[in-house]
Each structure stands twice: as C-alpha cells, then as structure tokens.
Amino acid sequence: MKIILKTQDEIAKIREAGKILAECHQELASRIGPGMTTLEIDQWVENYLAGRRASPEQKGYRGYPFATCASVNDVVCHGFPNHRQLQNGDIITIDIVVNKNGWLADSAWSYRIGEVSEEADRLMAVTRKALETGIAQAVPGNRIGDIGSAVQSVARKAGIGIVKPLIGHGIGRSMHEPPDVPNFGRARTGALLREGMVITIEPIFTSGDTGAVLWEDDGWTIRTADGSLGAHYEHTLAITKEGPLVLTSL
C-alpha cells in the first residue's frame, strides 16, 4: 500500500487530536494511583474526550470494547480495563487513540503506581530513552531502518527485551497506515522518510532479555512469556524539513 503524505493543514488537524491526547495523559498522570481500577481510568478517559468533542478510536475497532488499552505489569499491550485495583509498585501503560473530526493521534505512556522497584524504574527509563532516540532519527532523507536501529541499540545496550511483533505505523484518517515502523532494524534500509509522512514510534520493551510474548485467549491481551515487566511509550510525529514534529506532546 502507498504511503499517504499529509499537507500542512492535515498535519495541523492531527496535531489538534494530538494536543487533546497529550492533555489527557497529563491529567491522567496526576490522577492515577493506588486503589484506582483500570475500568475507572477507561471511563474517565472516555468522558474526558467527549468533553472535548473527540472520541476514542479504539472503541469498536475490530470489536475492541474499551476506550483505552490498560496494560499492567507483565501485560505489554492491549490489556482490557477491569475491576482490579492498582497497587503500590505496579506499572501501567495507558494507550489511547483520539479521533477529532476524523483525524487520529496515537500515544501510549507508562506510569508508576506509588513506589516501584528498581527493575521497573530502569525499564521505564530505558524505554522512554529509546522513544526519544528513535524520534531523533525521524528526519527527511533517513529511512525507517534508521529509526528501528536507534531504538534497538538502546535496548541492546541495556540488556532488555524488544517485543518485535508490536510495531509503530503510519497514521492519519486510519489508525494503521503504511509504513510499518519496527523497533529493530538495520540503518539505511527500509522506506525513505519524506516530508509530510506522519508515523508513530512506540518502543515496547520487557525487563526480561528475550522480549518473547504470548497472546491470551481473548485475542487481544499480550503478556511477557517469562512473566517479566513490560513498558511502552509512543508518540505520533510528522516528518518535516525542520525535523521531527511531535504531535502528541504539550
């Protein structure tokens, strides 16, 4: 499939969705804590978006029943919100796709619940660093492999695992557009990055060194195979001549 380049006006529309999403994550950061349930978080997010005349694109996507993906501890992605109360020491990733006037923005963030272990703290720091390192490679003339190679190098140096089946992607009017943006690869390979491309970069790492995962019977929830922790950070960004423009930051 063809990569869809966006105009400056279209990027501004994605940025509008991205700003709502960034503000939602900022508000969540001050609210999430021990005793909350992921179902309460999910309902709060849906209400928050409705108050800004936006909607959660995940809800109903291929039958997915919730406004967010809420992934706790060894769940790395697509966790179903539920009635389990968050406890001190948990880590949780909230992944949200916002639809504002038909344009989409996608961002995931991992949060500490109270005081977390050194292992969890290190995993989150390394995963976030990998996101920043990948974004720095998102400039015209580079290739998709430059992003993947940069993300991979951060994980390898830290001795933590990359969840290779889960990758970033193009985004715009559809949640998943070309190109795929893997969290691994060889520099100077893959699709050429061109001005007007809008993509997500989303390292998903595990504290175990294999990155191996298992799908649960619900067809969505993905857990680490070794029971280790998972972390996930994601931004939506545009490729511009001035450099990477993050559309899901404040």
Side-chain angles (χ1 to χ4, degrees):
M1 292 177 66
K2 184 179 178 182
I3 293 171
I4 304 167
L5 300 180
K6 309 317 191 275
T7 65
Q8 287 189 345
D9 181 59
E10 289 169 338
I11 289 170
K13 290 174 180 176
I14 298 170
R15 170 59 179 154
E16 191 178 355
K19 186 170 184 289
I20 292 168
L21 180 44
E23 290 168 348
C24 182
H25 271 299
Q26 183 185 50
E27 185 75 20
L28 267 179
S30 67
R31 288 173 174 269
I32 287 180
M36 286 189 78
T37 72
T38 48
L39 207 53
E40 288 169 345
I41 294 168
D42 188 77
Q43 188 59 62
W44 181 87
V45 168
E46 188 161 8
N47 291 338
Y48 182 93
L49 298 184
R52 282 145 188 82
R53 298 184 178 180
S55 59
E57 187 70 8
Q58 284 117 304
K59 194 166 187 177
Y61 176 78
R62 295 184 180 176
Y64 187 79
F66 299 102
T68 66
C69 297
S71 305
V72 180
N73 294 336
D74 64 328
V75 177
V76 297
C77 204
H78 303 156
F80 279 19
N82 59 35
H83 291 287
R84 175 193 179 274
Q85 290 187 326
L86 295 171
Q87 299 173 5
N88 186 61
D90 286 341
I91 62 173
I92 179 173
T93 299
I94 302 295
D95 190 359
I96 308 166
V97 184
V98 169
N99 183 324
K100 178 68 173 177
N101 298 324
W103 292 93
L104 309 181
D106 188 358
S107 177
W109 219 250
S110 292
Y111 297 96
R112 298 164 178 81
I113 305 302
E115 295 293 320
V116 302
S117 66
E118 188 177 327
E119 174 191 6
D121 207 52
R122 180 173 181 268
L123 172 65
M124 294 170 73
V126 170
T127 310
R128 189 167 177 177
K129 179 183 177 183
L131 172 62
E132 294 164 356
T133 304
I135 289 171
Q137 294 296 317
V139 296
N142 272 3
R143 294 186 176 272
I144 288 291
D146 293 307
I147 296 172
S149 176
V151 170
Q152 175 177 263
S153 69
V154 174
R156 291 289 176 258
K157 286 175 185 173
I160 64 177
I162 302 168
V163 181
K164 289 188 173 181
L166 302 175
I167 59 178
H169 48 86
I171 190 169
R173 285 196 174 276
S174 298
M175 195 188 305
H176 296 115
E177 297 180 355
D180 290 344
V181 186
N183 294 310
F184 58 93
R186 283 192 302 118
R188 313 311 304 158
T189 65
L192 184 69
L193 299 178
R194 297 158 60 198
E195 187 178 354
M197 290 171 66
V198 177
I199 61 173
T200 73
I201 299 175
E202 48 180 312
I204 304 175
F205 290 172
T206 65
S207 56
D209 61 3
T210 69
V213 291
L214 301 169
W215 270 255
E216 292 199 347
D217 291 341
D218 61 26
W220 287 98
T221 306
I222 304 172
R223 291 185 184 272
T224 58
D226 59 6
S228 65
L229 297 172
H232 176 191
Y233 289 91
E234 173 187 17
H235 271 312
T236 297
L237 59 133
I239 311 297
T240 78
K241 61 188 175 188
E242 290 83 20
L245 175 63
V246 177
L247 304 175
T248 46
S249 65
L250 293 170

